[in-house]
Amino acid sequence: MIHSPSLWGLVPLIVFIILILRKFNPIAAISVAIIVGAVMSGSGLMEVAEVIGKNGLTDFIAYIGLVILAGGGLGKIAEKTGVARNIVYFIMNKVGINTPNKAMISTMIASSLLAALLGTLAGANAIVAPVLIPVVAAAGLSSSVVAILFHGAAAAGVLIGPFTPPVVTLMELTGLTYPQVLLYAGLPVAVILWVCTFVYSKMILKKSLIEHSYPEEDLSGFNQKESEMDPKQKKITTQATVAFSVILIASIIYGIMIKGGATYTIVIILLTTIITGLAGRMSPNQIADTFVEGAKPLLWIFIQFVLFTPFIYFTEKMGGVRSA
């Protein structure tokens, strides 16, 4: 049994890093690290169970995992109701994608905005990509440039969104309000990411068009125009988009007024989900099923976040953090 403080306490962390580098599933890797930590610290099965049940499920990091799950659910609702597509169309129409520069700007705006609203980088880009790629490809962008734009812009987006994991974590750890986090942390870093992403994309555009141009099927893939939608469905989608925007903005403003903090985030997501789904003519069952469908691919993140608490607990119990 290892007594605190001891450098041996870092063994679980080293095990976790090695397993991740060997392409282990994150949940498997952290589970093995927890077992190693429990054995080395002389902890029994009951102590492990208590740390997971009492600490892991109630710790703030598990709440962040829950926010990520809910964000995935909201993203799927926005996709199914056509809200996300409407937002992208609005940006495309306002910017006017007829030059490479405008194509890059519209891609970055759409990716950043959806990542900020939905709280997920991959989820936002998955929604944006089918709509934007054929248009920006025709405007003269390469696949590698679009990939850079998607990643850089969405990364900036999750730093400025009202209920994205990084922002919620900063609010909880620092006690700052959302406007303070946005002004002093989120926006400064986001601006750097936007500038670097745009400048680097411009630098490699000509060369990447030779090496990584889009195939013909992508250039012709955008056939359905916004005006071709069924008038009734278009009206429903517009109503859902308005409902999504109004309830989201109103909830954020109200949360700032009452100083709701990080814990208010889940309420905003769930309320926006329900109102948007109802405005999109979805039944309560459809809303619930769609929400779960969107959250399901992110379940592993929630489980991993729950297991992070016992992982940290056993590392600290052996004094690995203090001795380091």
Side-chain angles (χ1 to χ4, degrees):
M1 187 171 94
I2 305 300
H3 296 282
S4 174
S6 171
L7 283 173
W8 286 105
L10 293 175
V11 170
L13 176 60
I14 295 171
V15 169
F16 176 70
I17 293 172
I18 291 174
L19 293 180
I20 287 295
L21 292 176
R22 292 181 65 86
K23 309 298 182 183
F24 269 58
N25 182 291
I27 294 177
I30 201 167
S31 297
V32 172
I34 290 172
I35 293 171
V36 170
V39 172
M40 291 182 65
S41 63
S43 304
L45 289 177
M46 278 306 300
E47 185 175 356
V48 175
E50 287 180 2
V51 173
I52 294 175
K54 293 182 179 179
N55 298 42
L57 289 171
T58 58
D59 198 76
F60 180 72
I61 195 170
Y63 177 75
I64 296 298
L66 182 62
V67 169
I68 294 173
L69 278 179
L74 175 58
K76 183 58 69 172
I77 292 289
E79 181 184 347
K80 284 288 180 71
T81 56
V83 169
R85 189 178 179 91
N86 247 15
I87 292 173
V88 176
Y89 271 128
F90 177 79
I91 294 169
M92 288 166 56
N93 292 334
K94 287 297 180 182
V95 177
I97 305 176
N98 51 19
T99 65
N101 281 345
K102 288 185 177 181
M104 286 192 285
I105 292 171
S106 62
T107 300
M108 292 177 67
I109 293 174
S111 181
S112 290
L113 183 58
L114 282 186
L117 294 177
L118 304 181
T120 165
L121 185 152
N125 284 336
I127 294 171
V128 171
V131 182
L132 268 181
I133 284 179
V135 183
V136 298
L141 298 190
S142 66
S143 58
S144 54
V145 164
V146 172
I148 293 169
L149 292 171
F150 276 157
H151 185 80
V158 297
L159 294 174
I160 61 174
F163 46 74
T164 62
V167 172
V168 173
T169 303
L170 274 173
M171 289 167 62
E172 177 66 19
L173 295 179
T174 62
L176 298 173
T177 62
Y178 172 61
Q180 289 174 322
V181 171
L182 188 64
L183 182 62
Y184 298 112
L187 273 177
V189 179
V191 169
I192 294 172
L193 282 172
W194 284 325
V195 172
C196 291
T197 299
F198 184 82
V199 171
Y200 185 69
S201 297
K202 285 279 291 181
M203 288 172 58
I204 70 167
L205 180 57
K206 288 184 178 179
K207 183 179 179 181
S208 64
L209 277 172
I210 300 173
E211 299 176 352
H212 304 289
S213 60
Y214 276 104
E216 191 62 34
E217 55 265 29
D218 285 328
L219 292 172
S220 59
F222 187 72
N223 297 318
Q224 183 183 12
K225 302 296 181 182
E226 187 180 17
S227 58
E228 293 176 1
M229 292 178 62
D230 176 69
K232 183 179 178 181
Q233 185 58 47
K234 184 177 179 181
K235 181 179 179 181
I236 292 174
T237 302
T238 300
Q239 291 173 349
T241 304
V242 172
F244 175 87
S245 304
V246 170
I247 194 65
L248 187 61
I249 294 171
S251 298
I252 293 171
I253 293 174
Y254 179 71
I256 292 172
M257 290 173 59
I258 65 171
K259 297 181 179 179
T263 52
Y264 180 65
T265 300
I266 197 68
V267 177
I268 299 177
I269 296 176
L270 294 177
L271 185 61
T272 306
T273 295
I274 294 169
I275 299 299
T276 303
L278 292 175
R281 305 300 191 273
M282 299 176 72
S283 68
N285 282 343
Q286 288 175 322
I287 293 173
D289 289 341
T290 304
F291 185 85
V292 171
E293 181 187 349
K296 195 183 300 182
L298 302 171
L299 181 60
W300 70 273
I301 296 180
F302 175 72
I303 296 174
Q304 184 182 12
F305 278 25
V306 169
L307 295 178
F308 263 129
T309 296
F311 168 69
I312 296 170
Y313 171 83
F314 290 119
T315 301
E316 289 182 337
K317 185 178 179 180
M318 293 184 287
V321 176
R322 280 172 290 173
S323 61

